[in-house]
Amino acid sequence: GPLAKAGGMTGGRDIGVVLNYKNDSGATGLPVYGGVGSQYTPITGCSQANRYYQNILLNEEYSGAICVSHGGEASAATNGFWSALTNSTTIGLPQLFFIEDNGYGISVPSSTQYPEGDIAKNLASFGNLKVYDVDGTDPLSLAQALLEAIQYLREQACGPVLFRSRVPRICGHTFQDNQSYKSEAERLDDEQRDPIDKLKSFVVGKFATELQWKNLEALAMTRVEQAYMEACSRPDPDAQSVYQYLFSSDDAVIFSDSFTKTPELQDGKAKISVLGAIRKTLDTELLRDSSVLVLGEDVGVKGGVHTATLGLQKKYGKLRVADTNLSEEGIIGRAVGMAVCGLKPVAEIQFRKYADPAAEQLHDCGMLRWRTENKFSSPIVVRMPVGFARRGDLWHAECKEAEWIHSLGWKVFFPSDAADAAGLLRYAIHANDPVIFLEHRALLDEAWSKSPWPGDNYVLEPGKARKVLQGNDITVVTWGAMTKMCFEAAAEMQASIDLIDLRTLVPWDKDEVIASVKNTGKCLVVHEDTLTLGFGSEICAVLADECFEYLDAPLKRLAVNDIPIPHSSALFSEVMPSKNDVVNKITELLSY
């Protein structure tokens, strides 16, 4: 791993200290995170999954199971640590927080991280938390305390254990770190507390002779040298392998006999709203598959702030439709851990802006399959209401879909009607990849977006655009709430407009768009993200590459001006594309 050679834990995809260990016959080493503190909430999710398997799925193999999260003392100051600790103590999970405390976060002393630099003392009165504070250089007291902590967690825990192991840091954080920030007295004290020397003092005379110890040292050095030479002799990873495993290659579970790509016959059927379709799909899948669960702030008794989960907790219970505390990092991080353990969590983030505290977990989740060479994955669904409703504001009305498109490893869905919402959400729940499922607030109960229920088994394959209108004069590409706006603009014009609703942005239907533009020679892309570096820029770049000789007008975009979404109706109308803006842009292109 450190040499980035073929055959390492990550196949050269990640730095050597970031490892993983898939083990079906014993303890599994979950993927180590490069972001300090980001390891804690996924481990809390794994611990919660163990309880779910035992209490909901009635699998006794999980009785006494515990999860261990490792970190240095500086990591105990991060958002991830506090979110995991709060969740683990509140729910009462058997999680061991093993903190290796060497007094420094690179060069910053632990007294800068929390009061007096003593995390054990700082957490002594934390509810439902058992605290151990031990000398990590004393082999006997360390082993005894650790065995006691593990036994407590397995047999009687009503919450986690914080295990602080005090150890020296004899070398620097990296090989370039000479620890010049430490005093001579500190460095001398570290050397005197060397755990290897203290282990030798404990073993020699009681369990082994001096000669036997020296032979063990020599054997260890020989094994290290041999392993190093073997690693050096390994080839570099195959360069083409870098393209593998960003996404799963297996959609068989989706398109099996249980599901259909064809909606039920719709003649005479009552129409359902986007909101109703989301709620009905969640209900159907919770009933179909006991490994599906829903979590998020207010999703329980209240049924979500948009009522998408109304009534589901009463029907399926608090462990399957679970209210969470107000920590988006905790919501997503726990969902990641649950999915790693084989559950199918559907997490709700109330508004797009509220996803910001969870950005690290979201970005890490997308890379999980790739960076572990397909050993681990976390196919979670994140439902995220976006965009304006009756008016805008910068906290509740963002779309910003381009950010998730740029977050590698995620599929990004953005339906504009009820049937598409149902088919895509069902696909997302049973897919093998993580999915960001964007729900535009203006469409949730919009009459234009209502459609007949497509059936309990209907799935919509991503990357297949919908032709809203068929035409030959100009191609208009859009998604989300802009689909309705473009449709209404087209209704006021005499032009023959080819209106394409992408429905999914990762993957997006390049073939359909390219074929249309080759036919019409003109293209307008309309979206609600900002103009600069919005996804429309990518679409236009692809069309410039693929359709240049077919164009008879410049490629045009219509999007939100590069301004945060304002609350005033007058200001909102200024920055948001309108129906008249669409009409004017189409007219401009047609007259080119």
Side-chain angles (χ1 to χ4, degrees):
L3 296 175
K5 295 291 188 177
M9 289 291 190
T10 73
R13 296 165 183 238
D14 214 332
I15 57 176
V17 296
V18 178
L19 55 88
N20 60 83
Y21 180 56
K22 185 77 170 178
N23 183 13
D24 295 328
S25 59
T28 287
L30 292 164
V32 174
Y33 287 81
V36 176
S38 59
Q39 72 271 30
Y40 290 111
T41 53
I43 299 297
T44 304
C46 291
S47 188
Q48 195 169 351
N50 288 344
R51 173 167 292 179
Y52 190 92
Y53 277 112
Q54 185 179 355
N55 295 344
I56 299 297
L57 303 184
L58 304 179
N59 188 334
E60 287 303 316
E61 290 183 8
Y62 288 84
S63 177
I66 67 170
C67 292
V68 183
S69 46
H70 294 268
E73 84 290 339
S75 72
T78 62
N79 296 340
F81 174 83
W82 287 102
S83 177
L85 186 68
T86 302
N87 277 296
S88 192
T89 52
T90 301
I91 302 172
L93 298 174
Q95 180 174 354
L96 176 63
F97 291 82
F98 191 98
I99 304 299
E100 191 173 321
D101 189 344
N102 57 40
Y104 278 89
I106 305 184
S107 66
V108 178
S110 54
S111 57
T112 305
Q113 309 288 355
Y114 30 74
E116 301 179 34
D118 189 338
I119 188 63
K121 181 179 179 182
N122 196 36
L123 294 173
S125 61
F126 215 87
N128 290 342
L129 179 68
K130 191 172 182 65
V131 178
Y132 289 82
D133 187 3
V134 302
D135 180 357
T137 70
D138 182 342
L140 185 58
S141 62
L142 176 67
Q144 289 174 335
L146 196 53
L147 287 170
E148 181 183 318
I150 291 171
Q151 185 176 6
Y152 166 80
L153 287 170
R154 291 199 192 281
E155 296 178 0
Q156 56 183 335
C158 59
V161 164
L162 178 89
F163 196 96
R164 181 198 186 202
S165 173
R166 289 173 278 110
V167 294
R169 196 182 75 189
I170 296 171
C171 61
H173 178 74
T174 62
F175 293 116
Q176 292 80 21
D177 181 3
N178 62 10
Q179 303 200 93
S180 59
Y181 41 82
K182 285 185 177 180
S183 67
E184 185 64 33
E186 283 181 293
R187 287 197 289 269
L188 181 61
D189 181 65
D190 283 348
E191 291 172 5
Q192 290 175 343
R193 294 171 57 224
D194 187 334
I196 300 296
D197 291 342
K198 295 186 76 170
L199 178 63
K200 178 180 178 181
S201 298
F202 177 76
V203 169
V204 173
K206 296 186 183 72
F207 307 102
T209 65
E210 179 76 25
L211 179 60
Q212 287 174 316
W213 179 267
K214 287 183 177 180
N215 288 339
L216 282 173
E217 285 185 321
L219 176 62
M221 183 58 69
T222 298
R223 292 179 66 184
V224 168
E225 289 175 348
Q226 288 175 344
Y228 172 69
M229 295 305 295
E230 289 173 10
C232 287
S233 68
R234 290 195 180 198
D236 290 329
D238 177 9
Q240 292 304 306
S241 70
V242 74
Y243 299 106
Q244 293 179 307
Y245 307 131
L246 186 61
F247 294 105
S248 168
S249 59
D250 181 18
D251 274 342
V253 67
I254 305 301
F255 301 118
S256 64
D257 293 338
S258 301
F259 302 103
T260 176
K261 296 181 183 180
T262 306
E264 292 180 358
L265 294 176
Q266 300 181 359
D267 292 343
K269 293 181 69 175
K271 291 185 176 182
I272 191 170
S273 67
V274 170
L275 187 63
I278 291 168
R279 186 187 303 125
K280 189 173 177 65
T281 304
L282 291 173
D283 188 1
T284 303
E285 297 316 309
L286 283 162
L287 182 63
R288 185 196 308 270
D289 188 343
S290 58
S291 66
V292 174
L293 66 156
V294 174
L295 71 158
E297 176 78 5
D298 295 312
V299 301
V301 175
K302 184 175 175 62
V305 294
H306 300 94
T307 71
T309 56
L310 189 64
L312 296 182
Q313 187 181 81
K314 185 177 181 180
K315 186 173 182 179
Y316 296 101
K318 293 183 178 181
L319 291 180
R320 295 202 63 199
V321 182
D323 278 321
T324 66
N325 59 7
L326 188 53
S327 169
E328 283 78 18
E329 167 146 353
I331 293 170
I332 300 302
R334 279 193 285 159
V336 168
M338 292 173 183
V340 166
C341 293
L343 299 180
K344 298 175 181 177
V346 182
E348 178 181 302
I349 300 294
Q350 287 183 351
F351 299 94
R352 161 62 193 86
K353 183 69 174 67
Y354 297 176
D356 289 352
E360 182 174 41
Q361 291 298 334
L362 288 162
H363 292 308
D364 288 351
C365 177
M367 295 188 295
L368 186 59
R369 183 189 300 277
W370 180 86
R371 74 182 182 92
T372 64
E373 286 196 306
N374 205 34
K375 299 183 191 75
F376 293 89
S377 63
S378 182
I380 68 175
V381 181
V382 181
R383 294 181 41 250
M384 198 180 300
V386 298
F388 64 91
R390 292 180 179 85
R391 61 199 300 183
D393 76 79
L394 62 170
W395 309 112
H396 303 87
E398 286 186 340
C399 273
K400 273 192 168 180
E401 64 266 19
E403 179 171 346
W404 309 125
I405 296 168
H406 205 68
S407 186
L408 300 174
W410 283 93
K411 290 182 176 176
V412 181
F413 299 173
F414 204 162
S416 65
D417 74 5
D420 290 354
L424 287 172
L425 182 56
R426 182 167 292 108
Y427 176 96
I429 290 171
H430 294 284
N432 293 318
D433 294 303
V435 176
I436 299 283
F437 191 86
L438 302 176
E439 305 165 3
H440 200 287
R441 295 167 62 214
L443 300 179
L444 291 178
D445 200 30
E446 165 61 43
W448 184 88
S449 296
K450 291 181 178 180
S451 60
W453 176 245
D456 293 351
N457 300 314
Y458 174 62
V459 291
L460 178 60
E461 185 178 358
K464 303 295 183 183
R466 175 169 68 106
K467 276 287 187 76
V468 182
L469 294 171
Q470 191 91 27
N472 298 307
D473 293 340
I474 186 172
T475 301
V476 177
V477 182
T478 190
W479 53 90
M482 296 296 103
T483 306
K484 172 180 178 285
M485 185 177 293
C486 291
F487 178 84
E488 292 175 342
E492 296 185 0
M493 305 185 72
Q494 298 300 315
S496 176
I497 297 172
D498 213 36
L499 177 56
I500 298 174
D501 174 12
L502 287 183
R503 304 197 286 198
T504 69
L505 305 178
V506 180
W508 68 283
D509 197 342
K510 295 180 185 179
D511 294 341
E512 184 68 52
V513 174
I514 288 171
S516 175
V517 173
K518 285 182 177 181
N519 177 55
T520 66
K522 295 179 172 66
C523 183
L524 172 66
V525 184
V526 184
H527 61 74
E528 199 177 322
D529 204 346
T530 51
L531 182 68
T532 302
L533 296 181
F535 191 54
S537 300
E538 173 64 18
I539 294 172
C540 288
V542 170
L543 294 175
D545 280 346
E546 300 287 338
C547 302
F548 183 78
E549 64 270 29
Y550 294 90
L551 296 174
D552 56 21
L555 297 164
K556 291 290 185 180
R557 294 167 293 152
L558 181 60
V560 172
N561 297 323
D562 294 342
I563 294 293
I565 304 298
H567 186 52
S568 157
S569 296
L571 298 177
F572 178 78
S573 298
E574 173 63 23
V575 303
M576 184 66 61
S578 68
K579 180 176 66 175
N580 287 338
D581 293 332
V582 177
V583 169
N584 291 337
K585 278 288 184 184
I586 292 175
T587 302
E588 174 190 336
L589 280 169
L590 290 175
S591 62
Y592 187 81

